[in-house]
């Protein structure tokens, strides 16, 4: 027979560990090796070993005996009086703590248990709405249509026929849950499940309301006005309180969640609170500088550019960006990129003026079209 490991080593704790540390260590091992979670002989053996160690170290008197005599304290040896682990019922030691440790595995501990008969908040309802880029700048109001569950006016939400009322479920006695117990090699274990007879309500309706057929509400198509704030961005969400599903047992209604989609602008691009666009200027404006008109999300504004402005030059317009969705006093900037437009259709007079301008500005046209008469003669000589 293999020699038993030290209980402190099994749980991975120090010999001076307090009760909380011991319980925490066992909880982790129990989750990892419990047969319902990790089937197999090896896992079952480790779970039993950890449970045995916890059974001893969680009991102050048994821990004291173990610290003094070791495993012999529970094998009929020195000062032990013996401890028959094979017949040990874990529920006797763990009591309420047993549920604490395994509640998150079986859903039956205090951490996972909920009183289904108490007031419960209704579920949230999600809808989508699409707005233009311009509407996202200034804000707007939109009506969204939803399937709204309205309290039945006949039974006032009870679901029962007028003159009657829901009765306590005979199967769960109004708890909304039922407990099953089973004997395992590790002791008596129990699990808590929703009562199938009442669906966890704790009450059953024998005579249903003729208007809502026991539902307690009637469904209507309803339009809900939604205020969309200025500065809202694509995929932002708006919460409208109290327009969701009705609560249960007197609980409050859920909320309406509106997912906003913004149609992109053809001219403006948004990055956070900043706006970007392109401004086209003439050759004369680029060369001489001066005032140019720039389109912003708030309308046209005038700005000054320097003489010799090149394509790709960026001009910043402070405070012409998007407002912050939660604080209208915070506004981004706009950056516009200047692009010099080259005329496409020129008449003879315009072409002649451009040639004359070129002649006094470097004569680039002749340079790239064959050069001067002297250059042409030189080329002709070498060609011969």
């Amino acid at each position: 027979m293999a020699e038993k490991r030290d209980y402190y080593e099994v749980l991975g704790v120090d010999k001076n560990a307090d009760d909380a540390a011991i319980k925490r260590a066992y909880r982790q091992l129990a989750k990892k090796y419990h047969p319902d979670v990790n089937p197999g002989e090896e896992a079952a053996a480790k779970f039993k070993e950890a449970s045995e160690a916890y059974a001893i170290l969680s009991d102050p008197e048994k821990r004291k005996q173990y610290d003094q005599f070791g495993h012999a304290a529970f094998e009929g040896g020195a000062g032990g009086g013996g401890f028959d682990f094979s017949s040990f019922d874990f529920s006797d030691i763990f009591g309420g703590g047993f549920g604490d440790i395994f509640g998150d595995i079986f859903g039956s501990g205090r951490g996972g248990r909920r009183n289904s008969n108490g007031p419960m908040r209704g579920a949230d309802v999600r809808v989508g709405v699409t707005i233009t880029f311009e509407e996202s700048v200034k804000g707007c109001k939109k009506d969204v249509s939803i399937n709204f569950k309205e309290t039945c006016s006949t039974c006032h939400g009870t679901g029962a026929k007028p003159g009657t009322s829901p009765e306590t479920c005979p199967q769960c006695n109004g708890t909304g849950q039922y407990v099953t117990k089973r004997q395992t090699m590790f002791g008596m274990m129990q699990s808590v499940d929703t009562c199938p007879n009442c669906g966890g309500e704790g009450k059953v309706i024998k005579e249903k309301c003729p208007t809502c057929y026991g539902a307690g509400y009637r469904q209507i198509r309803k339009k809900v006005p939604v205020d969309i704030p200025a500065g809202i961005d694509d995929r932002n969400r708006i919460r409208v309180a109290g327009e969701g599903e009705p609560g249960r047992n007197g609980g409050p209604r859920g909320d309406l969640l509106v997912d906003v989609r913004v149609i992109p602008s053809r001219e403006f691009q948004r990055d956070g609170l900043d706006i970007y666009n392109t401004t086209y200027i003439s050759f004369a404006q680029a060369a001489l500088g001066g005032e140019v008109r720039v389109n912003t999300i708030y309308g046209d504004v005038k700005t000054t550019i320097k003489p010799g402005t090149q394509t790709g030059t960026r001009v910043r317009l402070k405070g012409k960006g998007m407002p912050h969705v939660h604080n209208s006093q915070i506004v981004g900037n706009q950056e516009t990129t200047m692009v010099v437009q080259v005329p496409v259709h020129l008449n003879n007079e315009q072409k002649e003026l451009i040639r004359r301008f070129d002649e006094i500005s470097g004569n680039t046209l002749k340079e790239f079209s064959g050069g001067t008469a002297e250059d042409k003669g030189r080329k002709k000589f070498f060609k011969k």
Side-chain angles (χ1 to χ4, degrees), residues 279-300:
T279 297
Y280 295 94
I281 57 177
S282 68
F283 171 75
Q285 288 175 312
L288 302 178
E291 284 189 341
V292 296
R293 191 178 299 274
V294 177
N295 190 17
T296 76
I297 58 177
Y298 305 101
D300 289 353

Side-chain angles (χ1 to χ4, degrees), residues 11-284:
L11 296 182
V13 297
D14 186 81
K15 289 189 176 183
N16 297 320
D18 57 15
D19 292 341
I22 291 174
K23 184 175 183 179
R24 185 166 54 250
Y26 176 59
R27 184 193 299 270
Q28 295 175 351
L29 293 173
K31 288 181 182 179
K32 183 176 181 180
Y33 295 117
H34 193 280
D36 286 353
V37 177
N38 189 0
E41 294 183 3
E42 182 179 356
K46 289 185 177 181
F47 176 75
K48 186 175 181 179
E49 182 184 45
S51 299
E52 179 178 340
Y54 180 74
I56 299 302
L57 300 183
S58 63
D59 186 300
E61 185 60 33
K62 290 184 173 63
R63 182 178 180 180
K64 183 178 180 182
Q65 294 181 42
Y66 178 75
D67 289 343
Q68 185 174 1
F69 301 106
H71 292 297
F74 310 103
E75 296 172 356
F83 176 68
D84 184 7
F85 191 83
S86 63
S87 61
F88 182 72
D89 186 355
F90 283 96
S91 60
D92 290 339
I93 273 192
F94 296 138
F98 186 75
D100 290 339
I101 291 176
F102 295 103
D104 44 6
I105 297 179
F106 302 106
S108 59
R110 286 182 296 185
R113 184 176 297 170
R114 181 173 60 188
N115 182 10
S116 59
N117 292 325
M120 294 179 63
R121 180 181 178 275
D124 293 334
V125 174
R126 290 182 59 180
V127 296
V129 65
T130 300
I131 63 174
T132 65
F133 183 82
E134 290 72 21
E135 288 175 325
S136 74
V137 174
K138 301 177 181 178
C140 59
K141 180 173 286 189
K142 293 287 184 178
D143 288 338
V144 296
S145 296
I146 61 172
N147 292 321
F148 190 78
K149 292 180 179 178
E150 191 176 63
T151 302
C152 177
S153 57
T154 302
C155 65
H156 303 291
T158 65
K161 180 180 178 181
T164 67
S165 58
E167 299 179 3
T168 301
C169 175
Q171 186 165 331
C172 65
N173 295 321
T175 63
Q177 302 169 331
Y178 72 95
V179 180
T180 57
K181 295 183 179 182
R182 60 191 177 98
Q183 183 69 41
T184 71
M185 62 182 292
F186 306 110
M188 186 66 69
M189 302 187 71
Q190 70 177 30
S191 61
V192 180
D193 297 296
T194 301
C195 175
N197 187 47
C198 65
E201 297 288 342
K203 295 181 180 181
V204 292
I205 301 173
K206 287 192 173 182
E207 296 186 70
K208 295 183 179 181
C209 171
T211 302
C212 65
Y213 305 102
Y217 58 84
R218 64 188 185 93
Q219 188 163 283
I220 61 173
R221 192 69 176 169
K222 178 181 178 181
K223 286 187 176 180
V224 179
V226 179
D227 289 318
I228 299 177
I232 196 164
D233 204 352
D234 186 40
R235 299 183 185 275
N236 279 179
R237 175 177 292 174
I238 298 172
R239 182 181 294 270
V240 183
E243 294 291 348
E245 296 280 350
R248 293 168 52 187
N249 301 323
R253 297 188 73 100
D255 297 335
L256 174 63
L257 306 179
V258 183
D259 294 319
V260 179
R261 297 304 308 268
V262 180
I263 301 174
S265 169
R266 291 185 177 182
E267 179 175 357
F268 301 103
Q269 293 79 46
R270 176 176 181 175
D271 184 8
L273 296 182
D274 293 333
I275 296 294
Y276 298 86
N277 79 327
T278 299
T279 297
Y280 295 94
I281 57 177
S282 68
F283 171 75

